[in-house]
Amino acid sequence: MKYAIMMNFKLKKTLILFAVFSISFIGNAQDKKEAISQNSVDYSAYKADKVEMDKKIDSLLSVMTLTEKLGQLNLPSSGDITTGQSKSSDVAKKIEEGKIGGLFNIKSVEKIKEVQTIAVEKSRLKIPLIFGMDVIHGYETTFPIPLGLSTSWDMAMIEKTARIAAKEASADGINWTFSPMVDISRDPRWGRVSEGGGEDAYLGGEIGKAMVRGYQQDDLSRNNTLLACVKHFALYGAAEAGRDYNTVDMSRISMYNDYFPPYKAAIDAGVGTVMASFNEVDGIPATGNKWLLTDVLRTQWGFDGFLVTDYTGINEMIDHGMGDIQTVSALALNAGVDMDMVGEGFVTTLKKSLDEGKVSIQKIDASVRRILEAKYELGLFEDPYRYCDEERAKTEIFTKEHRAFAREVAAQSMVLLKNENNLLPIKKSGTIAVIGPLANTNENMAGTWSVATPQDKSITVLQGIKDGVGNLGSILYAKGSNLSYDKGFEERATMFGKEIPRDGRSDQELLKEALDIASKADVIIAAIGESAEMSGESSSRTDISIPKAQRDLLQALVKTGKPVVLVLFNGRPLVLTEENETVPAILDVWFPGTEAGNAIADVLFGDVNPSAKITATFPRSVGQIPIYYSHKNTGRPLGNSEGKFEKFRSNYIDERNEPLYPFGYGLSYTTFSYENLKLSTTKLNENETLEVSVTVKNTGNYDGKEVVQLYTRDLVGSITRPVKELKGFQKIFLKKGESKTVTFKLTVEDLKFYNYDLDFVAEPGDFEVFVGTNSNKTLKSKFELVK
């Protein structure tokens, strides 16, 4: 989508603040909004709006008591309260007393309007509340988990998913989402890898920008937008051992080059809020880290929105060893935190800290101001009920159009990992056996963090295949196995309403039924892998293979000699070495969302040609972790590409170095050739642009899409540099037999990095440039950057 202006936070306010509100809650906003052309920026209007906003907030600050100020910094969780309950609840009393600035986890227009009424009609200053929710990959219409969505490499489509999520959530009263999560992770043991965009900083940044644009659009005061929140700042995805909430310890060079860029991209895109992470950074928890939250975020990057903690993030600094609740609350405020999620350390201790000189009223006022600015920009002072339109709630949520798009997105996010002898696509005829514990479970189609999803309305694999075949063939079904042999593990893996009822029959009985059905089939669809809650928050795993009960089922099915297609559910890269060797076809569907079964059927039957490519490396063995494409060389690199062991070289005695599936990998039902890699020049000067072109041809028998990927390597630097870095990509469509010349443009800006002194520089010298179908299969050329 193109906008009249770039959405950096300063210029965003020009569009957001079209309306000039009076000091009261009622103004002549609409007339002024209509008077301003959306194709030009009226800077006088911007200045006037900024003046009016400042006047409004100055007026409030001048009359607010300390209790009311601290209340604005307080974000408790209400739970999804029952209608009518709010009037007599403890939450209602606190709202009336001005002790709450917002709520989260409350859903529906009726409930939110009831609570908002207390704030704007019964509290002394009538300051509206802000309402947040974890709208992570859709609202009621649910799209693939973010890791799956990232494999589409389609930024326009990703932006549209966020726009639809904003439309639905805002129609239900929500105006703030805790998304996007842009944490880079190179350790698939970490469960929350499912919520991010993979391992690459550049791609992660592009996805983050697309999500922010989708949620906030070009005018936050419109009632179909959401205030976005980039998280978790910072480095949360680099937890040691892949164990959630664990210590993070890395150099600042790695921070700036490999982990910070997606956060900064979201800031540059105008994201309104930032969430601090749980982990420590340089020995200080992020929630209390002034260098991180003020020096980097505000001073270096210019962020001027408000910063919220994660759930009880302030209180958790006590266990980190940073002091008691008063100490850590003061630490967080002084570091740059504005809003305390759930912990209530601010409302219970900051008055005492102020009296003792441990915090200043200027700090408190600055935080209050930022929160009031967000509410102003959302239009809540003009109309606190702008998100409480019951007609919208009836007509804009879980619509037929939204579900149709969700089906399209899910199909575009499925990665074909293997397709031996072109087993896929299969025909809509004959007898198809659908087998596996994930074949017929509505509750596990949407994946983790699907808090608003009507799980019972999600389409299962079995239902999707039945609908796809209709009366053209016969569909047989068997569960085949439980999720795991271990009942306790299965209980931990199916929490939060994501149950897969455990079958009371013995493992042998389940397997026998599956094999009997398989014997009658022409082809077997094995729906196995992780359940929805095997990934996500607090779902770290030391063994990232498919649970053994399902592996045993799969291998038994393979031994029947019938064609087997593995439909893989997962929220992380898995170790699939055995499966890759034995199963003819593997389709990674992640957790596809509410239209899961229909989208899976679309791909299996060839109505959609898969085009997704993985954004996180799949290891051959868990012992290779962390593993990622943009690693650095050692002084003793392996001297061969066949995986042969070499003593006194950087390799393993029991495993190859390379991954099972490299970053950017994904197959299609067609094939593509790359040739004629050309550079417009072999010497790039500082003010010039290097054009890199390649001819891509569809050489197969199907029309299809291909993600063309551009990488560079800085061969000599003042610090060691990665062996490859993604610098661009284009998703193109080619009819069978069609060719296209794809051109990329590189400038000096694309070659910059943070050096030892953390200066952002491009250093003259030789570079390699690669273009290809994945990070490991490319054409290569060379150029020189000259002064």
Side-chain angles (χ1 to χ4, degrees), residues 15-37:
L15 291 176
I16 291 172
L17 300 178
F18 281 137
V20 181
F21 307 123
S22 67
I23 196 66
S24 67
F25 293 145
I26 300 173
N28 56 349
Q30 190 59 39
D31 292 340
K32 295 197 174 185
K33 181 182 285 188
E34 292 174 353
I36 300 175
S37 168

Side-chain angles (χ1 to χ4, degrees), residues 227-403:
L227 184 67
C229 181
V230 68
K231 65 183 187 184
H232 306 81
F233 192 64
L235 319 180
Y236 184 36
E240 289 181 355
R243 196 174 79 238
D244 213 349
Y245 320 122
N246 203 8
T247 302
V248 171
D249 191 7
M250 71 169 64
S251 71
R252 293 198 175 181
I253 287 176
S254 291
M255 292 182 201
Y256 277 86
N257 285 319
D258 303 326
Y259 287 84
F260 278 177
Y263 306 113
K264 187 176 186 300
I267 301 302
D268 291 343
V271 71
T273 65
V274 172
M275 181 182 291
S277 57
F278 289 117
N279 55 280
E280 65 176 66
V281 176
D282 276 352
I284 300 174
T287 307
N289 193 310
K290 183 177 181 295
W291 173 78
L292 185 70
L293 303 185
T294 296
D295 296 351
V296 174
L297 185 63
R298 296 201 184 277
T299 304
Q300 294 179 24
W301 296 354
F303 175 66
D304 60 357
F306 78 80
L307 196 149
V308 63
T309 73
D310 208 334
Y311 198 104
T312 66
I314 290 175
N315 311 60
E316 292 175 25
M317 289 197 287
I318 298 171
D319 282 332
H320 275 285
M322 304 302 293
D324 60 16
I325 187 63
Q326 181 187 352
T327 301
V328 296
S329 296
L331 181 65
L333 182 77
N334 288 327
V337 168
D338 298 311
M339 184 173 269
D340 176 6
M341 182 188 287
V342 177
E344 299 201 332
F346 279 2
V347 293
T348 58
T349 71
L350 286 186
K351 181 181 186 304
K352 183 179 180 185
S353 292
L354 181 64
D355 292 341
E356 295 173 353
K358 294 176 180 177
V359 300
S360 69
I361 193 63
Q362 289 78 16
K363 277 282 186 183
I364 293 171
D365 284 353
S367 291
V368 174
R369 177 178 292 277
R370 285 189 280 261
I371 291 164
L372 295 179
E373 285 177 344
K375 293 179 178 183
Y376 192 99
E377 290 170 352
L378 285 166
L380 293 174
F381 283 106
E382 180 198 32
D383 179 7
Y385 304 113
R386 70 170 56 245
Y387 295 89
C388 296
D389 183 340
E390 293 180 2
E391 290 305 309
R392 284 190 63 211
K394 294 175 184 177
T395 60
E396 296 185 11
I397 299 174
F398 209 63
T399 66
K400 181 180 178 181
E401 293 76 18
H402 291 175
R403 292 194 65 164

